[in-house]
Amino acid sequence: MAVLRMKPFFLVGVLEKRKPILEALQKLECAQVEESAKFKKIDPQKTISTIDSMIEESDQAVQVIEKYSHQKGGFFDSTQFEESSGLNLNIAKSDTLYKKVRYISNLATEIEKFRNEISQLENESLLLYYYLNLDLPVDIKDTKHTHILVGSLPNFWSEEALSGKLGCDVYFEILDANKLQTTIFLIIPFVISEKIQKILTDIGFSQPPFASAEKTPEDKNSENKKKIKDLNQKISKYEEKIKNMWSDCENIKRFSDYLRLRKEKYQTICKLGLTAHTFILEGFLNPKFENIIKNRLAKKFGAYVEISEPDENSPVDFSNNFFAAPVESITKTYSMPSYYDVDPNPIMALFYYVFFGMMFSDAGYGLVLAIACGWLMFFKKFEQSKKNLFRMFFFCGVSTTFWGFMYGSFFGNAIDTVAAVFFGSDFSLAPLWINTVTEPLTLLIFSIVLGLIQIIVGLSIKFYTLFRRRKFMEAIATVLNWMLILVGIGIFSIGALAKIDIISTIGVFMLVLGVLLVITLGGYKNKGIMRILGGIISLYDITSYISDALSYSRLMALGIATGVIANVINILGSMAGGGILGFFIFVVVSILGHAMNFGINILGAYVHTNRLQYVEFFSKFYDGGGKKFTPFGMHTKYIKFFNKVK
Amino acid sequence: MSLFFALLGAAIAVAFAGIGSAKGVGIASESATGVVVDDPSKFGKLLVLQLLPGTQGLYGFIVAVMVLLNTGILGGKMPTDIATGLLYLAACLPIAIGGLFSAMAQGRVCSSGVNIIAKKPAESSKAIVSASLVELYALLAFIVSFLMVINIK
């Protein structure tokens, strides 16, 4: 339930023990290794780039196998887990695997080559098509007295037009004529050859872009067809070979991950400082592992470890329970906490789920979301980040269901519509709390009140952090005064609504006190008259609080939007009336329409919930700008290794 | 005549907000396509940015449906005097105009947000938040239109 601040540490060990120590650290995933500044380092860049290219090759091999066996893993497939002790491949095995990788990539290149050949042949056949009427080879030789030409003219030419152009001494045949081009065969006596050739050039004559090697176009064409057939056969044979490698796919994945682990190890070795007989590892340590490192690792390998307390430069991570951990990723994409920040996740989680539910606001959609994510959560195994994502949407779904019933929306008014159209009853699912369409004003006020609560909570956290840092003046001058004003307004409104004078008087009192504090202390950094002036000017900040509070009206707007669109879908679906056909139309329209509405509104709810946290909530107290803890560990692609020894 | 003005209001609400959204989604999608060419795996993340300017059209649609529901086209009772019709027309203006311009502005924000996803996919939520800053004004317009439509007696 807190921010984990990593402890700076360094470890000195003898060089012979470097490998086992690094491997142990990698499996524990507990330390971020920093580059050693004082000592000389080695640079295994060449090894790393060799490993890189091998990783790329094996990934391509995996892709190729998956493509030809049509067995690609999806986003919702379980992640594969393995105990980390099983990750050491022996050298002989890795060699045979690499050979297989090369074999597969060769097959893939061959297939690619065949495909290119086929497309060339197909292009040629396309051109040949216009010469199929010619029963002589295209590159036919001249006779003793005549010049023989085959080729094409742009545009359409009729026989009359052409003979008019060429004169009657030339024998020609039109092989094919269409709008774009006319293909012709000509026999020209040598005597007039030059003159005719000039005419031909003028009208755009060109020779065919292929040689038919003393075969008629017809023969050539069927030869191409046969070649294509052969090539296709070869391709399917090669594809079959690749498909047969499917059983090795698992091992190639493991091989690729094994290479990744080695790469990470070498990248860490780069950072180590070296002396003649020892190595020095500097970095940050997860405090949870302090004892393991100090007592077990250091003793086992005879290394010297020194651990100090975290400071402002320490990288950070979150550590939260089942309920709050899912929203950590939301906070992380905003910013990691600074040295002085508290962990916002436990409080934010509650607001996050509530706001999401209010905006998605349909019990039917909420149930679908909660059941889908709950199923993924409980019956499948995923890596941590995905697990948290599904868990977050599970909680959001539960909250959505709750608010859906509060607003009386279950796939919009589907229950009422079905009852009215198909059973002729006036049964209706009554909202547990309010009807959003007829009483939007109540909902609007409620949304803004929720917003004010979140803003006040945010300010309280700020107050707490400033107080902890002993910045009392800043705490009172920039936070407490505004809290008094906002809480005062709230109490006054409650008093006024309940018509209890004493409560509204307390509210007014707090409000006035807050305003006075703003005026007197708002400009606390200035001196003399400027101080009061600064205070009056800072009273203007009220506008930003108002706009923040109004921003929460989106809770109402998006909440209504989901319901109204769902109702429209139900209206459209029930237009065909009752009966079997009407029912069928209703089901089809409903499924399509609600699926669309679900997609659009879940997107809206997600985006706007995030925005409320980032812009309205975090801006009140969260400094951010911390560094994320990225431990030296097992960052693999296919198989997630975990460590049994804790 | 009264009904005519009410329907005119519904029409401009759905048409203008729709034009804005169409333009906005168009601008964002054009940029997104450029990224998908190089890296099809980013399509999912980009889709969010592409769809964001689409909400205005939806708001316009909701307001239009509310008008239709209240004026007897889809149930409810038909208004008789011209004044009521003009009231509906006025009520539709905020989302029509607000939706039109905010969707186009949001489209441009999304379009530049595509750069963030192309270069630093991990920071994609920042692009989304920037786009939602514009969204607020469409939401305000929608709320005002909505409140006006349902309160016309």
Side-chain angles (χ1 to χ4, degrees), chain A residues 385-409:
Chain A
S385 61
K386 267 192 198 173
K387 206 157 81 186
N388 276 336
L389 181 76
F390 296 135
R391 207 187 278 162
M392 183 179 99
F393 279 113
F394 171 74
F395 284 125
C396 289
V398 171
S399 162
T400 306
T401 314
F402 169 77
W403 286 106
F405 284 121
M406 293 299 269
Y407 297 167
S409 174

Side-chain angles (χ1 to χ4, degrees), chain A residues 117 120 188 195 249 271 353 364 433-434 535 610 621 643:
Chain A
E117 265 176 61
Q120 267 175 21
I188 313 159
K195 190 181 106 198
C249 192
K271 297 177 183 163
Y353 301 142
W433 178 40
I434 54 167
N610 280 2
F621 67 95
N643 190 38

Side-chain angles (χ1 to χ4, degrees), chain A residues 600 603-604 607-608, chain B residues 16-32 45-60 95 98-114 127-128 130-132 134-136 138:
Chain A
I600 287 177
L603 172 68
V607 166
H608 287 283
Chain B
F16 280 87
I19 292 171
S21 278
K23 279 203 143 186
V25 174
I27 299 167
S29 302
E30 273 174 28
S31 322
K45 276 192 167 144
L46 290 167
L47 192 65
V48 176
L49 278 185
Q50 284 169 256
L51 283 176
L52 272 178
T55 43
Q56 281 85 346
L58 223 56
Y59 300 146
I95 191 56
L100 174 64
F101 292 109
S102 72
M104 293 197 296
Q106 202 178 18
R108 285 198 294 277
V109 176
C110 289
S111 165
S112 42
V114 166
I128 294 169
S130 309
S132 79
V134 186
E135 178 93 3
L136 174 66

